[in-house]
Amino acid sequence: MSTAPQNPILFDDVLPMAQGLLEAECDEIANLANIAALLFEAMAQVNWVGFYMMKAGDLVLGPFQGRVACTRIAVGKGVCGTAVAERATQRVADVHTFPGHIACDGASASEIVIPIMRGGQVYGVLDIDSPVTNRFSADDQEQLESLVRLIEAHFAG
């Protein structure tokens, strides 16, 4: 018996589905877990989707889908830490050329990391890895940044 969904989720459906998930639940961990699962199912050619949250000055692993991951990342280190330090999305076509890349999963070839802000500070990051070089487009970035803005608005409320 297959456990695969009968009607796969399309990437274009993620934003309205995330809105519904956020409206239905106030617990942040539950929401981030569901959003990670939603993205993992909706995005083709990804091997890791998840969140790292700022705790005591470091990024600490939060809800995710994929293989076992790095548990703690220093600000300024790797793609995730650089996104925090620069407070800007990092879209990396080839992680093997990124100075100081942290290889939690050696199969990852490209990555996108978007900071999540709260009260003017970085609260965490959305991190997505792919085993395909140059997997993430400018359109992907725009849609994922819109999703992060939706998360920020919900967490601010």
Side-chain angles (χ1 to χ4, degrees):
M1 182 169 158
S2 174
T3 59
Q6 297 301 313
N7 298 308
I9 297 168
L10 302 176
F11 188 52
D12 288 342
D13 295 333
V14 166
L15 216 52
M17 291 179 79
Q19 177 74 40
L21 290 169
L22 291 167
E23 288 173 357
E25 178 56 56
C26 62
D27 185 84
E28 292 177 5
I29 297 299
N31 282 327
L32 294 177
N34 266 335
I35 290 170
L38 177 64
L39 286 169
F40 194 72
E41 185 175 335
M43 295 184 77
Q45 299 178 309
V46 298
N47 59 326
W48 200 92
V49 176
F51 296 91
Y52 282 91
M53 314 312 293
M54 289 299 300
K55 294 184 188 273
D58 287 330
L59 286 166
V60 178
L61 182 64
F64 73 95
Q65 297 281 310
R67 290 184 167 183
V68 172
C70 301
T71 56
R72 187 172 298 267
I73 300 172
V75 172
K77 301 294 183 190
V79 181
C80 289
T82 299
V84 172
E86 295 182 5
R87 294 175 168 231
T89 297
Q90 303 294 306
R91 182 165 45 110
V92 181
D94 182 354
V95 295
H96 304 292
T97 64
F98 189 90
H101 173 251
I102 301 168
C104 296
D105 181 350
S108 294
S110 61
E111 184 171 4
I112 187 166
V113 179
I114 302 160
I116 303 168
M117 305 300 291
R118 183 186 224 171
Q121 300 297 316
V122 177
Y123 173 75
V125 298
L126 168 60
D127 179 19
I128 305 175
D129 293 2
S130 172
V132 177
T133 302
N134 203 26
R135 159 61 182 87
F136 303 103
S137 68
D139 185 53
D140 292 333
Q141 179 176 336
E142 184 178 316
Q143 287 186 274
L144 292 166
E145 286 173 342
S146 293
L147 174 62
V148 166
R149 300 298 86 81
L150 182 68
I151 293 167
E152 290 170 343
H154 181 76
F155 286 0

